[in-house]
Structure formats: C-alpha cells, structure tokens
C-alpha cells in the first residue's frame, strides 16, 4: 500500500508541475490543485500506514505501545486541505476575472507586467 | 503566561475584525486602522521591554506543554522583527489615508491590511514549524486580495504570477514539513533542533534543507527564484507595494535564518553561492529598468543577497550583520516604495522617461528620496553603511573574497542606479511645453486636501527616513541588540530551554 501511495504522490507532483508548465491559465490552476493534493498525500503516507491500531494509550499502560496510529499527520492534512480549498477557490475566481480583463487564457500573452511601457504601445 | 507575546497577534486581529463591522463607514475604518497600527507598534516596544526584562518570553497555547502543543516564543530576532512590523504597519496605515483611493478603501482595504499584519507577526512569533506554515497562509491570503484589490489589468496579471509562485512555494514548504515530521517525529522547532542531529541518515536532513531553500527562497526572492517579484510588486498602489516589499520578502528571509540556524546550523556554500548571484544579478538588472518601482524591485532583490550572505557565513559577526541589515532594509525599502507611490501620485506615471524636473515643484520630496537612497547605497552616516561594513568585514574575516567583491559591486551599482534615477527624476530640465503642461496635472481623486493630507502623505516617509538616519547615528546600541540576537541564534540552547522548559 505504501508503495502504491508513493507512486500516486509522485504522479501527482509530476502532473502538477507538468500542468503548470503549460501556457494555459486554467491548466496552471489545476496544476496548483494537484500539487496541493500531492503534498497532502505525501504527509499521509509519511505518517506511517498502520491498520486496526488505536491512536491512544491502552488501558493500564503509561506509554504508547510499539505500534500505534499517529493522528497528527491527519490533523495536519485536514488543516492543509481547508487552507488549500480556500486558496483554490480564490484562484478560480481570480482566473475568471483575469480572463474577463485580459481576454485570453494564454499565459505567454500576459506580458504587461514584465515589459517596458514603450513596447506595449 | 506572558501576555506581551499575544498582543502583536491579537491587536491586528481585533483591528481587522472591528474594521469589518464598519464596512460602510470609511471614516471610522480609517481611525480604527491608525489606532491598530499604533497599537501594534506599542506592542512591539512592550515585547522588547519584556525580553530585556526577563529573558525569552514563551506562551504554550491552550496550556498544552511543549512539544505537544503550539508554542509562541520570542527570541531577540523575533522581537526585532515584530517591532519593525509595527513600525512599517504604522507608517503604511498612516499613508494609506491619502495614498489609497476610496474605491479600494470601500472594498475592505483596512481589514485586509491588518489581517496581513497579524499573519506576519504570527510567523515571527511561532515556535512550531507547521504553525509557521499556517501563518504564512494567513499572510499570503490577505496579500493575494490586497494585490488584486482595484482590479486593474496589470494588477490581475501580477496577482496570477504572485499566486502561482507562492502556491508552489507553499506546497514545497508543506512537503518539507511532512518529511521533517516523519524523520524527527515532532513539529516543535526547538524540539526539532534537538532531534535532527540524531536522525540516522544525515542525507535526509540535507535534502530537506534544499526543499526549505527553494520554499523560502521563492518567498524571499533570492537568485534563481526572484522573477515573480518585479512582475507583481509595481502593480498595486504605493502603500500596498511598500508593505509587500518591506515586510513580506523579509518573512522569507526570517524563515531562512530561523531554519538554517536551528535545524541545519553551519556555514553553507549553497547559500553563499546564491547570495553572491542575488547581489550582482539584482543590482545589474536594476540598471536597465525604465519604471521607477521596477528599479526599486530589482534593488530589493539584490539587497536580499546581503542578508543571505550573513546567514551563509555563519559567524557571530556575520549573523549580527545580517540582522542589522534586515532592520535597515525593512525601514529603507519601505520608505523607497512609499516614495514611488508618491511619485506616481504626483506625476501620474512611473515611467522614468516621462518624469522630469520634479525638484522645481517638490523639493521636499527630492530630499526625502535622497535619504533612503543614500542609505541603501551605503553612504555614512546612514544605517546602510554600518550594515554593509559589518557584513564586508565578516566576509573578509571568513576569507570569502569573491563574495565580498560581489557585495561591494552591488553597493556601487546601487549608488549608480539611484543617483542616475534621482537626477533623471528631479534634476533633468523640463521640456518647455511640458512645463506648461505640468500646471495642469490631473488633480488627485481624493477629496481630503490641505495640511493634514500632506502630513499623512509625507509624514510616514519622513519618519522612516529619520529612523534610517538615527539607526546610522546610534548604530552602537542597535548593533548590541543584533549581537545579542546573533548570539541566541548561534547557541540556541537558551531558546530551546525557554520553549521546552522542563519537558525535553
């Protein structure tokens, strides 16, 4: 299972970077979304995948047993998902407004902020 | 329970929320914003007094003992950064009164500004690496909206670039945090500092160090990652650009300093290499720009190199120099960007070719421009001179001659760029037909005129210029504070002890 998730994480990172390298505004946002998923899945996998073990100290014991489910990575991912959701929602609205204003979805044509004023006229 | 640690976070938060309640009452929002800025500055001073009084203050949030809960801790570096956030926040909120048009004000400019300041202060004060990520996101979120507020075409384009690069940086940072947790089993920074040397395979922390360099380097705009900054920072109005340039990049620098002193201590060739290239490339590209704020943006990038240089050398002198330079740079760059906003307001453009002879109509502005410009170039008695002197001397002691050369070249280029810019903007004779046209410059759209408005426009710049002069004249006590901060960074046992207390 760990192997499968590792491959999935790698694929998500690769897909995210690939989409961001494309020229399309929409694919760029999709790339950002995929990268966020990749980071979350990475943390999930790194937290250790154990099955059927409790995340608490057994009755009568003072310490955790040798094997236990670590709840912390899941708490981290939950936080990251919430943040990522907000950021992605903002990103989608932003590209809509950009598209309305610039009238193109081609990132290579968005050169206004990088060019001297004379070149644009 | 040290309340002094909570004020820098609670004050901007309260200001932001209360300002939201007065959505339709701009006048009340402005008053709240000024009060909030002043309160943040006051809380910075209070925090400094707390630190000088009784060692590093810490708060365990929710009463959970470290390393299980989230800790806030303020070592001297954090305190200095919070104090500067207060200074810049106050200056920017005063200038916003006249520097921001009412259309932007009406869409929640003041709440956003203060929520962003809360994120910045939180990032400086937290003692937990995942919490640092969360504060980064708080800060970024407000900054995305601030950058986009107004909805001009250039602003929207700039925001797309800024958003994409920052989200890549955030997901790399998050990945690094996850990897660090899986290797060391903790998220508390002080606890991590103890655990990381005990990791079996030391190649693992090195890989994470690279991830942190990329993640924070993107935010701090160091050499290969700086291209997004000049593409976005010249699009919003002056006060917004000033707080972005002055503070947000420095949050990246602060995080680099924090991570590379606590987790991966030691001199780093990688950082030195990047610092040298940042210094030379930023200042060289500034030479050929034709837009006032893009000149400043590239100079800002170049001067980040000095701080990275101090961090890379990793001697007590070099770290003290890096912190001194950090203080100088925040004040100075904020002043320069505020001035660029003023120029934009006066001339209606920031294209250097189209601005001439401002000295005739605005001699005071010419003088105000000169102070941070000379300070940034490293002319005594201003603060930039001492910062550079300490760093160059540290470089010579460490026999990093190439890097020292890069630092000197960068300082020379800065002087060249800024003096050429000053004489172009202020001294170049006006064309006869333009002199007539200058009388009919478009009137400012804001209704508030008169002496009070002038004070709100020029006062913050004058204040920051005065601070950079005072930092230069009274360099000794400031250097003492930097030396103390560097001592804490080099030997983090006091920090670790204060955070973990009796629970190692």
């Amino acid at each position: 299972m760990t192997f499968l998730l590792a491959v999935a994480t790698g694929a998500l990172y690769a897909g995210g970077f690939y989409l961001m390298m494309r020229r399309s505004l929409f694919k760029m946002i999709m790339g950002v979304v995929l990268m966020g998923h990749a980071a979350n899945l990475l943390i999930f996998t790194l937290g250790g995948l154990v099955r059927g073990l409790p995340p608490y100290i057994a009755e009568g014991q003072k310490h955790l047993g040798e094997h236990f489910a670590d709840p912390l990575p899941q708490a981290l991912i939950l936080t990251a998902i919430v943040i990522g959701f907000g950021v992605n929602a903002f990103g989608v609205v932003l590209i809509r407004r950009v598209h309305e204003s610039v009238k193109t979805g081609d990132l290579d044509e968005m050169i206004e902020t990088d060019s001297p004023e004379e070149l644009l006229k | 329970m040290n309340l002094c640690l909570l004020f820098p976070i609670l004050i901007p938060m309260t200001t932001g929320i209360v300002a939201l309640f007065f959505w339709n009452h701009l006048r009340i929002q402005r008053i709240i914003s000024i009060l909030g800025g002043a309160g943040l500055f006051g809380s910075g001073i209070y925090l400094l007094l707390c630190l000088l009084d009784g060692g590093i203050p810490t708060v365990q949030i929710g009463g959970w003992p470290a390393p299980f809960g989230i800790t806030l801790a303020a070592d001297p570096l954090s305190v200095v950064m919070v104090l500067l956030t207060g200074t810049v926040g106050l200056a920017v909120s005063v200038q916003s009164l006249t520097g921001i048009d009412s259309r932007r004000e009406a869409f929640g400019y003041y709440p956003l500004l203060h929520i962003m300041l809360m994120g910045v202060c939180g990032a400086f004060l937290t003692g937990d690496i995942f919490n640092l990520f969360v504060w980064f996101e708080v800060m970024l979120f407000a900054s995305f909206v601030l950058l986009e507020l107004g909805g001009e075409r250039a602003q929207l384009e700039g925001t797309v670039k800024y958003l994409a690069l920052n989200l890549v940086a955030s997901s790399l940072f998050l990945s690094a945090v996850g990897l660090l947790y899986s290797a060391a089993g903790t998220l508390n920074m002080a606890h991590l500092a103890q655990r990381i040397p005990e990791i079996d395979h030391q190649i693992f922390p090195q890989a994470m160090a690279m991830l942190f360099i990329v993640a924070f380097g993107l935010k701090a705009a160091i050499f290969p990652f700086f291209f997004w900054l000049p593409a976005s920072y010249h699009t919003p109005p002056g006060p917004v650009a000033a707080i972005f340039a002055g503070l947000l990049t420095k949050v990246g620098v602060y995080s680099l300093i924090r991570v590379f002193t606590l987790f991966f201590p030691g001199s780093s060739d990688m950082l030195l290499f990047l610092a040298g290239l940042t210094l030379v490339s930023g200042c060289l590209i500034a030479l050929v720009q034709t837009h006032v704020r893009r000149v400043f943006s590239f100079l800002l990038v170049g001067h980040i190199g000095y701080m990275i240089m101090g961090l890379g050398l990793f001697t007590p002198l070099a770290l003290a120099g890096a912190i001194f330079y950090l203080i100088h740079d925040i004040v100075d760059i904020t002043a320069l960007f505020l001035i660029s906003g003023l120029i934009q307001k006066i001339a209606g453009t920031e294209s250097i070719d189209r601005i001439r002879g401002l000295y005739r109509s605005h001699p005071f502005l010419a003088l105000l421009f000169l102070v941070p410009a000379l300070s940034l170039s490293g002319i005594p008695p201003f603060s930039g001179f001492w910062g550079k002197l300490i760093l160059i001397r540290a470089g010579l002691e460490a026999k990093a001659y190439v890097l020292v050369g890069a630092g000197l070249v960068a300082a020379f280029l800065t002087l060249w760029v800024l003096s050429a810019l000053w004489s172009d903007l202020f001294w170049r004779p006006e064309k006869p037909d333009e002199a007539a046209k200058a009388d009919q410059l478009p009137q400012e759209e804001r209704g508030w005129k008169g002496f009070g408005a002038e004070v709100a426009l020029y006062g913050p710049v004058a204040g920051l210029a005065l601070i950079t002069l005072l930092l230069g004249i009274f360099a000794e006590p400031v250097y003492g504070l930097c030396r103390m901060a560097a001592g804490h960074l080099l030997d983090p046992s006091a920090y670790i002890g204060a955070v973990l207390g009796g629970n190692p």
Side-chain angles (χ1 to χ4, degrees):
Chain A
M1 193 62 191
T2 311
F3 176 75
L4 211 62
L5 281 176
V7 173
T9 310
L12 281 172
Y13 270 119
F17 273 115
Y18 175 75
L19 283 176
M20 292 195 85
M21 303 285 175
R22 307 292 305 217
R23 285 163 48 189
S24 155
L25 197 58
F26 180 69
K27 285 177 185 154
M28 188 198 82
I29 291 291
M30 290 312 291
V32 169
V33 174
L34 284 191
M35 277 191 70
H37 290 338
N40 289 338
L41 204 56
L42 177 75
I43 298 176
F44 178 68
T45 317
L46 284 170
L49 300 172
V50 291
R51 200 167 180 175
L53 288 168
Y56 45 77
I57 299 168
E59 208 178 337
Q61 300 283 313
K62 282 263 163 73
H63 299 281
L64 281 166
E66 197 164 323
H67 297 288
F68 64 97
D70 187 354
L72 196 74
Q74 283 148 43
L76 300 187
I77 295 167
L78 200 60
T79 316
I81 287 176
V82 173
I83 294 173
F85 174 75
V87 173
N88 294 336
F90 177 79
V92 171
V93 176
L94 179 72
I95 62 168
R96 192 187 137 83
R97 290 219 35 203
V98 170
H99 193 266
E100 276 172 6
S101 155
V102 188
K103 305 246 173 353
T104 172
D106 188 345
L107 286 169
D108 279 3
E109 285 175 31
M110 293 192 192
I111 50 165
E112 188 164 299
T113 62
D114 286 313
S115 320
E117 282 180 29
E118 306 84 67
L119 282 183
L120 290 168
K121 284 179 183 125
Chain B
M1 192 74 167
N2 277 301
L3 278 178
C4 57
L5 260 174
L6 296 178
F7 285 130
I9 295 172
L10 289 181
I11 289 176
M13 186 175 87
T14 318
T15 313
I17 293 173
V18 174
L20 268 181
F21 281 117
F22 294 96
W23 185 264
N24 290 323
H25 302 82
L26 285 183
R27 192 179 289 269
I28 301 176
Q29 276 197 34
R30 287 180 203 135
I31 295 168
I32 293 169
S33 165
I34 297 292
L35 288 178
L40 183 59
F41 180 63
S43 72
I45 291 178
Y46 181 41
L47 190 59
L48 181 66
L49 294 178
C50 264
L51 174 85
L52 296 177
D53 206 39
I56 299 176
T58 56
V59 172
Q60 315 289 351
I61 298 291
W64 293 87
F68 304 111
I70 290 171
T71 312
L72 297 183
D75 73 337
L77 176 63
S78 305
V79 173
V80 167
M81 297 305 286
V82 168
L83 189 56
L84 286 164
T85 308
T87 316
V88 171
L90 182 60
V92 168
S93 47
V94 170
Q95 219 212 14
S96 300
L97 295 181
T98 44
I100 300 286
D101 52 277
S102 36
R103 202 164 48 91
R104 287 190 172 86
E105 278 182 320
F107 278 94
Y109 170 77
Y110 292 114
L112 283 168
L113 177 69
H114 286 276
I115 295 295
M116 192 175 83
L117 287 174
M118 172 183 87
V120 172
C121 285
F124 290 147
L125 288 175
T126 186
D128 184 283
I129 189 86
F130 187 76
N131 198 229
L132 181 66
F133 167 77
V134 176
W135 285 121
F136 259 103
E137 295 300 307
V138 171
M139 174 187 95
L140 281 178
F141 225 112
S143 72
F144 293 150
V145 188
L146 273 180
L147 192 59
E148 183 258 4
L149 200 67
E152 288 163 20
R153 184 185 157 158
Q155 276 189 299
L156 290 170
E157 277 190 26
T159 314
V160 168
K161 292 162 191 175
Y162 179 78
L163 177 102
L165 265 296
N166 273 298
L167 290 187
V168 172
S170 290
S171 69
L172 289 178
F173 180 21
L174 189 59
S175 311
V177 170
L179 286 165
L180 211 52
Y181 177 73
S182 77
T186 178
L187 290 168
N188 185 298
M189 292 206 250
H191 201 206
L192 275 169
Q194 289 179 331
R195 285 276 192 95
I196 284 177
E198 297 164 6
I199 295 174
D200 290 338
H201 303 287
Q202 278 301 313
I203 185 81
F204 207 56
Q206 279 173 23
M208 277 174 268
M210 289 311 297
L211 269 177
F212 277 119
I213 285 192
V214 178
F216 295 141
L218 269 164
K219 295 190 199 272
I222 60 175
F223 165 64
F225 315 117
F226 63 71
F227 44 87
W228 58 270
L229 189 148
S232 58
Y233 275 21
H234 68 286
T235 57
V240 178
I243 202 152
F244 276 39
L247 275 181
L248 296 198
T249 45
K250 305 307 183 300
V251 180
V253 175
Y254 164 84
S255 311
L256 272 177
I257 293 179
R258 180 62 78 211
V259 162
F260 277 84
T261 51
L262 267 181
F263 301 167
F264 318 108
S267 171
S268 158
D269 289 340
M270 187 70 198
L271 283 178
L272 290 179
F273 178 71
L274 292 178
L277 285 172
T278 310
L279 278 167
V280 177
S281 61
C283 294
L284 261 184
I285 304 174
L287 262 181
V288 296
Q289 297 301 318
T290 57
H291 183 280
V292 177
R293 218 182 294 168
R294 282 175 65 87
V295 173
F296 293 160
S297 298
F298 278 107
L299 286 179
L300 158 67
V301 168
H303 283 247
I304 296 282
Y306 283 108
M307 296 158 235
I308 308 298
M309 168 180 169
L311 175 62
L313 289 170
F314 212 75
T315 60
L317 190 65
L319 272 176
I323 296 164
F324 193 101
Y325 208 86
L326 200 56
I327 300 173
H328 146 77
D329 207 60
I330 291 181
V331 173
D332 221 70
I333 291 282
T334 311
L336 279 178
F337 272 77
L338 285 178
I339 289 169
S340 77
L342 287 179
I343 291 174
Q344 218 262 339
K345 230 171 150 50
I346 290 164
T349 175
E350 280 188 66
S351 171
I352 297 170
D353 297 333
R354 285 159 57 192
I355 307 176
R356 289 161 170 271
L358 278 181
Y359 186 78
R360 189 193 299 277
S361 53
H362 297 83
F364 186 55
L365 182 67
L367 179 72
L368 276 184
F369 185 103
L370 212 53
V371 173
L374 289 178
S375 179
L376 198 67
S377 323
I379 306 287
F382 300 110
S383 56
F385 168 71
W386 298 106
K388 289 188 179 66
L389 183 73
I390 300 167
L391 284 169
I392 299 288
R393 178 137 176 234
L396 288 176
E397 277 177 10
K399 299 198 170 53
Y401 298 119
V402 180
L403 197 60
V404 168
L408 292 174
V409 167
F412 172 70
L413 284 174
T414 309
L415 183 62
W416 183 2
V417 168
L418 286 173
S419 45
L421 183 63
W422 193 84
S423 49
D424 274 354
L425 293 181
F426 293 103
W427 261 4
R428 199 162 43 170
E430 294 164 70
K431 286 179 192 156
D433 55 322
E434 283 187 359
K437 216 165 61 187
D439 293 334
Q440 310 153 358
L441 276 179
Q443 288 300 307
E444 291 164 18
E445 45 192 302
R446 278 295 299 272
W448 190 24
K449 291 260 162 43
F451 185 68
E454 295 288 306
V455 169
L457 271 183
Y458 292 98
V461 188
L464 290 173
L466 190 67
I467 291 177
T468 184
L469 181 65
L470 290 179
L471 279 177
I473 293 174
F474 301 104
E476 178 71 38
V478 182
Y479 175 67
L481 188 64
C482 296
R483 202 60 203 238
M484 182 170 111
H488 275 277
L489 291 175
L490 278 172
D491 176 20
S493 54
Y495 177 79
I496 295 173
V499 171
L500 295 182
N503 311 295

